[in-house]
């Protein structure tokens, strides 16, 4: 029951965030969108960012080199998630991956605005792929009211801006984190 309530809170937050940030087909390289659903000692975190910010390209991995880059990014995220999403160590939190989608095709059909000199500045249509991940967080103490900071730069230096939002039974807040400076109040 508790897990379902938390998931419902997170889904509601996601819908709200997606309506506000994707209304104009936003796909900003170097940015990430993070939603946290918090309920006392548990939380769920959802992350979405352009794939190029995670592993250097945003098409579906087909070559061995591409697949290796994707695999390395996934493993780096899994291994370092508690350092990337930093909660107070006194809370005794552990992270476990729930779902990781290294390539999700951008559904809004945006065209890549790059120009190609060979085609006399005609637009090149290209894939815009996103990287999505969801982690469950279980803490020994209530995390409501604590702060979370983000440290993407040491692990994924191309992520420079984070639009983070939290939703719990007692609060809803949002914060824009630039170059890992700032926090989100839970």
């Amino acid at each position: 029951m508790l897990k379902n309530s938390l998931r419902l809170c997170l889904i509601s937050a996601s819908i709200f965030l997606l309506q506000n940030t994707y209304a104009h087909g936003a796909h900003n390289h170097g940015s990430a969108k993070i939603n946290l659903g918090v309920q006392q000692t548990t939380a769920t975190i959802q992350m979405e960012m352009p794939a190029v910010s995670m592993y250097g390209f945003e098409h579906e991995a087909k070559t061995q080199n591409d697949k290796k880059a994707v695999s390395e990014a996934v493993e780096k995220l899994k291994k370092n998630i508690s350092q990337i999403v930093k909660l107070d160590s006194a809370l005794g939190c552990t992270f476990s991956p729930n779902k990781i989608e290294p390539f999700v095709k951008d559904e809004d059909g945006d065209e890549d605005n790059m120009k190609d000199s060979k085609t006399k500045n005609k637009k090149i249509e290209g894939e815009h792929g996103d990287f999505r991940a969801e982690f469950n967080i279980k803490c020994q103490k209530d995390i409501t009211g604590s702060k979370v900071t983000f440290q993407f730069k040491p692990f994924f230096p191309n992520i420079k801006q984070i639009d983070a939002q939290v939703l719990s039974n007692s609060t809803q807040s949002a914060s824009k984190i630039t170059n890992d400076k700032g926090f989100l109040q839970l």
Side-chain angles (χ1 to χ4, degrees):
M1 178 74 175
L2 182 66
K3 190 173 182 177
N4 288 337
S5 296
L6 185 59
R7 194 168 298 281
L8 183 60
C9 274
L10 192 56
I11 290 169
S12 297
S14 297
I15 291 169
F16 174 78
L17 185 64
L18 289 173
Q19 285 174 337
N20 288 313
T21 57
Y22 287 120
H24 301 289
H27 177 90
N28 297 319
H29 295 183
S31 68
K33 291 166 185 59
I34 296 179
N35 291 320
L36 274 153
V38 176
Q39 198 163 32
Q40 297 173 331
T41 60
T42 62
T44 300
I45 183 168
Q46 291 179 331
M47 306 174 167
E48 181 172 352
M49 60 279 300
V52 70
S53 299
M54 294 296 286
Y55 48 79
F57 55 89
E58 55 182 1
H59 56 268
E60 193 163 3
K62 293 183 176 129
T63 69
Q64 284 303 101
N65 285 342
D66 286 355
K67 289 177 183 178
K68 181 180 177 187
V70 169
S71 178
E72 287 172 354
V74 168
E75 287 309 309
K76 187 188 302 184
L77 180 65
K78 283 181 180 179
K79 180 180 177 185
N80 299 294
I81 187 66
S82 65
Q83 294 171 22
I84 294 169
V85 178
K86 296 188 68 121
L87 292 159
D88 185 343
S89 61
L91 297 171
C93 300
T94 57
F95 291 74
S96 58
N98 186 30
K99 185 178 186 181
I100 296 181
E101 299 174 282
F103 179 80
V104 178
K105 191 170 182 176
D106 188 15
E107 292 111 13
D108 65 8
D110 283 351
E111 288 183 355
D112 194 343
N113 289 321
M114 294 173 28
K115 304 279 183 176
D116 181 1
S117 60
K118 295 177 189 172
T119 57
K120 297 187 183 188
N121 292 329
K122 291 182 183 175
K123 275 189 182 178
I124 303 169
E125 291 186 28
E127 283 184 304
H128 287 285
D130 291 322
F131 183 101
R132 293 181 186 164
E134 182 178 299
F135 288 84
N136 294 321
I137 305 168
K138 177 73 177 144
C139 302
Q140 295 172 357
K141 297 180 182 176
D142 189 347
I143 57 178
T144 308
S146 64
K147 293 179 182 176
V148 61
T149 59
F150 302 94
Q151 295 296 313
F152 275 91
K153 273 191 132 77
F155 306 98
F156 300 101
N158 292 325
I159 297 176
K160 299 183 183 343
Q161 182 173 316
I162 301 162
D163 292 319
Q165 178 174 287
V166 65
L167 184 63
S168 72
N169 289 337
S170 60
T171 189
Q172 179 178 354
S173 66
S175 185
K176 188 170 288 221
I177 312 295
T178 303
N179 293 320
D180 291 343
K181 292 180 175 51
F183 64 90
L184 183 61
Q185 188 76 41
L186 301 180

